Amino acid sequence: MIHAGDPSRLGAQVLEGGVNFALYSGSAERVELCLFDADRRQVSLHDLPECSNGLWHGFLPGCGAGQRYGYRVHGPWNPRRGQRHNPAKLLIDPYARRLDGAFHWDPVLFDYHRGPGGRRRRDDRDSAACVPLGMVTGGPGERGRNRPGVPWSNMVVYEANVRGYTMRHPDIPEAERGRFRGMSNGSILEYLRALGITSLELMPVQCLIDEAFLIERGLRNFWGYNTVQFFTPDARFAAPGVDPAAEFSEMVDSIHDAGIEVVLDVVYNHTGEGGADGPTLSLRGIDNLAYYRTLPDDPGHYVNDTGCGNTLNTCHIRAQNLVLDSLRYWHGELGVDGFRFDLATVLGRTMGG
């Protein structure tokens, strides 16, 4: 039996005797917590029993680290009004600390299909097989770190792509190339120190989705500027079966031990759900109008200040908190020293421009 739980603990947090689940959706009428086994079979459903100011929450006794889960959010579906709730689409918890599985481009990822005359009709096919599942973790937790603490006046920043920088380095074992482990290799760090840099800026490593047009060409998104979840390092940068957050954190410690700061390039201005015709993976199905900016007189269409199809609605306190909570996590628990904000000015832009 699921209990009321704590609305202030967003995400999935292990507590004594079970796990607290909490998700914000100010427009939902009902939120289902879906639990899966290691073979991605849905094993149980639980309605989150309480809603406090749009925060749906519940405490599940007996649940623990390693549990795989996702959400189905019930509510109005009217794309012309910007309402995009469709419980057939399994949604990623925006506060999940680890994801299991990968995205698979398929028509079922879309909450609609085109009817006569091009009019949208709700697509009721289940998307669970095509999206990653959240995974409950104990979390690395905040710990003491040997942060270099370089004064701004002395900073020399060096930008690198984790995959590209390590993929062909002869001193890196093949299994570690293109991964966080490779970036912490002694030969890499010795070379960076010899350059005289103080701060290593990594291009985006938060969980991303490869655009459909790239997949159709047998390609992948190399630079990483198509984030879909702000808390989890993408599994493509970690060894198979390893918690990407743990491998990322270990890499940060190694870079710090070399006397170098870690700065992370972050993309909070938009998400990989794209424009109004894009897939429904997380925020769109949770509370479209809260998390994305839409045209005041036409909420079925997004404000596209980013040129990527959508713009995160940082005027809304919950979207704003999502960004701030993510930053605190990467700094406090994963050890990042600072951030470079992609399209930073968009984050500060209000509905009035």
Side-chain angles (χ1 to χ4, degrees), residues 193-273:
R193 290 186 64 182
L195 288 177
I197 68 126
T198 68
S199 309
L200 176 63
E201 179 189 318
L202 299 179
M203 295 181 75
V205 298
Q206 293 176 337
C207 183
L208 65 136
I209 186 171
D210 302 303
E211 292 87 337
F213 75 89
L214 292 177
I215 297 298
E216 292 169 358
R217 292 166 173 77
L219 303 173
R220 301 198 73 180
N221 184 312
F222 185 72
W223 300 125
Y225 294 90
N226 203 35
T227 310
V228 290
Q229 211 274 355
F230 298 138
F231 281 82
T232 57
D234 199 290
R236 71 185 68 189
F237 300 117
V242 173
D243 182 356
E247 187 169 321
F248 178 89
S249 187
E250 291 170 3
M251 174 199 70
V252 170
D253 285 342
S254 296
I255 296 172
H256 282 170
D257 289 343
I260 299 171
E261 292 181 320
V262 177
V263 176
L264 195 62
D265 194 346
V266 286
V267 187
Y268 294 112
N269 57 76
H270 77 283
T271 79
E273 288 187 302

Side-chain angles (χ1 to χ4, degrees), residues 30 33 84 91 134 148:
R30 175 182 162 211
L33 169 67
R84 303 292 291 265
L91 305 174

